[in-house]
């Protein structure tokens, strides 16, 4: 069975929209896209008057090299959010079917599904001494029972920070072969001391991996994300994608950020974050009023408090904004704290210590 058999039946021969930039033609006078013949008055280079390449070869090649895949296995888009939406739209009929999620987790999986009228089936994470862990048996059962076409896993998890064992992901994909696509969201993979699920693609065509330049590569404002999967699925997703998903300045910024020197600097910054993650976790765990600090393989810590409201208010009073997780399932006393610069992390500790004193 081909992975493209999981596509919506009505989209299997869907050609999509062919924009002016998808045509392989050459010339020195370009009159095929109804663009202005003059540059914008505020942009001297004149680059922005032209529509951008939908999938720039240089960017795809550089991203493929970075993530350890072939360019034909990668589709670039507007952050991981677009990839999530494309997968739901391509595999799930509107108003039918199901996707499986593992709450507490990244909310866009459920948002994209619900906007498409697709049922969201939950297989909650288990709160264990080792952190928030995926119940793979429950995930498989939920997917098979609901006939879900998509299973969304987050590794390292958001907000828990737990990385998933690749052998368990592979076993899940094998169990769901021909039934569902297992999507592994690796937005925080750079901070993890574990291999990427991209290594599983050769043996499991029903695995897709999401990556982003928003976190470790500090390009959240450029909105560059990737989905890595079987080339047949990538080609189908490209047909479902908007004509010009990547703005030219954002592509330029991404290519600049992916140079050899810049990658070396990024890795050095990641090493600092990992060291600070351990230091901040140890300091927070020793504070009164801190109930638990979860182990994390990401660039944040999930922290439970005796009085989360007091801690949240004290942090805000100190000018520190963290993520309030109390509305998430099972996290009614928790905040998520991104790892900042060392001096910023020190301010977090000081503010929480003051909250404990005044509580």
């Amino acid at each position: 069975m081909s992975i493209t058999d999981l596509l919506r039946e009505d989209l299997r021969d869907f050609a999509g929209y062919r924009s002016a930039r998808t045509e392989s033609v050459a010339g020195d006078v370009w009159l095929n896209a109804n663009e202005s013949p003059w540059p914008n008055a505020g942009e001297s280079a004149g680059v922005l008057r032209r529509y951008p390449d939908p999938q720039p070869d240089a960017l795809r090649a550089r991203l493929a090299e970075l993530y350890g895949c072939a360019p034909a296995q990668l589709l670039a888009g507007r952050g991981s959010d677009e990839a999530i939406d494309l997968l739901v739209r391509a595999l799930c009929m509107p108003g039918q079917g199901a996707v499986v999620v593992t709450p507490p987790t990244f909310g866009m999986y459920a948002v994209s599904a619900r906007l498409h009228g697709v049922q969201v089936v939950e297989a909650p994470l288990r709160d264990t001494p080792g952190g928030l862990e995926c119940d793979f048996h429950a995930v498989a059962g939920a997917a098979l029972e609901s006939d879900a076409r998509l299973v969304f896993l987050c590794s390292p998890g958001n907000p828990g920070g737990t990385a998933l064992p690749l052998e368990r992901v592979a076993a899940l994909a094998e169990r769901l072969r021909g039934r569902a696509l297992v999507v592994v969201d690796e937005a925080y993979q750079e901070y993890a001391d574990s291999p990427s699920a991209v290594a599983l693609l050769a043996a499991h065509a029903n695995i897709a991996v999401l990556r982003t330049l928003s976190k470790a590569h500090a390009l959240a404002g450029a909105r560059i994300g990737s989905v890595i999967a079987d080339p047949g699925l990538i080609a189908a997703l490209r047909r479902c994608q908007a004509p010009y998903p990547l703005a030219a300045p954002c592509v330029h910024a991404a290519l600049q950020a992916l140079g050899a020197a810049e990658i070396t600097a990024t890795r050095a910054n990641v090493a600092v974050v990992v060291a600070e993650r351990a230091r901040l976790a140890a300091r927070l765990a020793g504070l009164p009023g801190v109930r638990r600090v979860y182990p994390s393989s990401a660039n944040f810590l999930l922290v439970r408090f005796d009085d989360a409201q007091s801690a949240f208010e004290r942090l805000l009073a100190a000018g520190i904004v963290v993520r309030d997780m109390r509305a998430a399932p099972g996290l009614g006393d928790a905040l998520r704290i991104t790892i900042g610069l060392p001096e910023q992390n020190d301010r977090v500790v000081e503010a929480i210590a003051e909250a404990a004193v005044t509580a």
Side-chain angles (χ1 to χ4, degrees):
M1 180 179 182
S2 169
I3 187 61
T4 55
D5 290 338
L6 291 177
L7 291 170
R8 287 167 43 183
E9 188 173 353
D10 61 322
L11 293 184
R12 291 174 191 172
D13 59 355
F14 177 60
Y17 175 73
R18 292 190 62 81
S19 70
R21 288 294 173 268
T22 60
E23 304 296 335
S24 297
V25 292
D28 62 345
V29 179
W30 288 80
L31 303 176
N32 67 333
N34 303 334
E35 300 153 328
S36 170
W38 299 279
N40 181 279
E43 195 255 324
S44 58
V47 175
L48 297 184
R49 73 184 179 95
R50 297 292 188 193
Y51 285 106
D53 187 336
Q55 290 291 304
D57 290 339
L59 179 62
R60 289 181 81 194
R62 190 66 189 92
L63 289 170
E65 181 183 0
L66 181 67
Y67 298 140
C69 66
Q73 293 177 289
L74 184 143
L75 182 74
R78 291 163 291 190
S80 298
D81 297 337
E82 184 184 24
I84 294 165
D85 185 65
L86 283 173
L87 287 165
V88 172
R89 287 195 283 128
L91 273 69
C92 301
M93 286 291 293
Q96 299 179 28
V99 304
V100 176
V101 300
T102 59
T105 191
F106 183 44
M108 281 306 298
Y109 314 137
V111 167
S112 292
R114 287 178 175 140
L115 286 172
H116 202 58
V118 175
Q119 180 187 7
V120 178
V121 179
E122 297 184 346
L125 299 175
R126 297 179 301 183
D127 198 347
T128 75
L132 294 176
E133 295 185 354
C134 180
D135 185 340
F136 285 92
H137 179 74
V139 170
L144 293 171
E145 183 177 349
S146 64
D147 197 25
R149 284 293 180 92
L150 286 166
V151 172
F152 285 104
L153 305 177
C154 196
S155 179
N158 175 13
T162 304
L164 299 178
L166 287 194
E167 64 274 13
R168 300 297 303 277
V169 175
L172 176 65
E174 187 62 33
R175 188 172 177 186
L176 298 180
R177 183 185 295 270
R179 300 288 299 270
L181 181 73
V182 177
V183 183
V184 185
D185 187 345
E186 293 186 340
Y188 303 95
Q189 176 62 29
E190 288 86 351
Y191 304 100
D193 186 20
S194 57
S196 166
V198 170
L200 303 177
L201 267 59
H204 302 279
N206 65 324
I207 291 179
V209 179
L210 306 182
R211 298 296 295 262
T212 181
L213 299 182
S214 294
K215 312 298 181 182
H217 295 275
L219 287 178
R223 310 305 302 129
I224 303 287
S226 303
V227 54
I228 304 164
D230 178 89
L233 179 58
I234 292 299
L237 293 176
R238 185 169 180 176
R239 295 194 296 270
C240 297
Q241 193 176 34
Y244 304 108
L246 302 170
C250 296
V251 172
H252 176 74
L255 288 172
Q256 292 290 107
L258 296 176
E262 288 75 15
I263 291 291
T264 298
T266 293
R267 289 172 177 161
N269 290 339
V270 167
V272 172
V273 168
V274 170
E276 280 296 294
R277 183 179 69 200
R279 185 178 76 91
L280 181 59
R283 293 194 66 186
L284 289 175
L287 293 178
V290 174
R291 185 173 298 167
R292 183 180 181 186
V293 180
Y294 283 78
S296 176
S297 294
N299 69 332
F300 55 80
L301 294 171
L302 182 66
V303 186
R304 290 187 182 272
F305 295 88
D306 290 337
D307 186 349
Q309 181 64 29
S310 176
F312 188 66
E313 291 175 353
R314 181 61 65 175
L315 285 163
L316 283 178
I320 301 167
V321 182
V322 300
R323 191 63 178 262
D324 189 348
M325 299 305 304
R326 287 176 290 170
L331 298 179
D333 56 0
L335 305 176
R336 191 193 70 196
I337 304 172
T338 302
I339 307 301
L341 298 172
E343 56 269 27
Q344 294 171 331
N345 300 329
D346 289 340
R347 286 177 59 188
V348 168
V349 173
E350 293 166 5
I352 292 175
E354 288 184 18
V357 170
T358 59

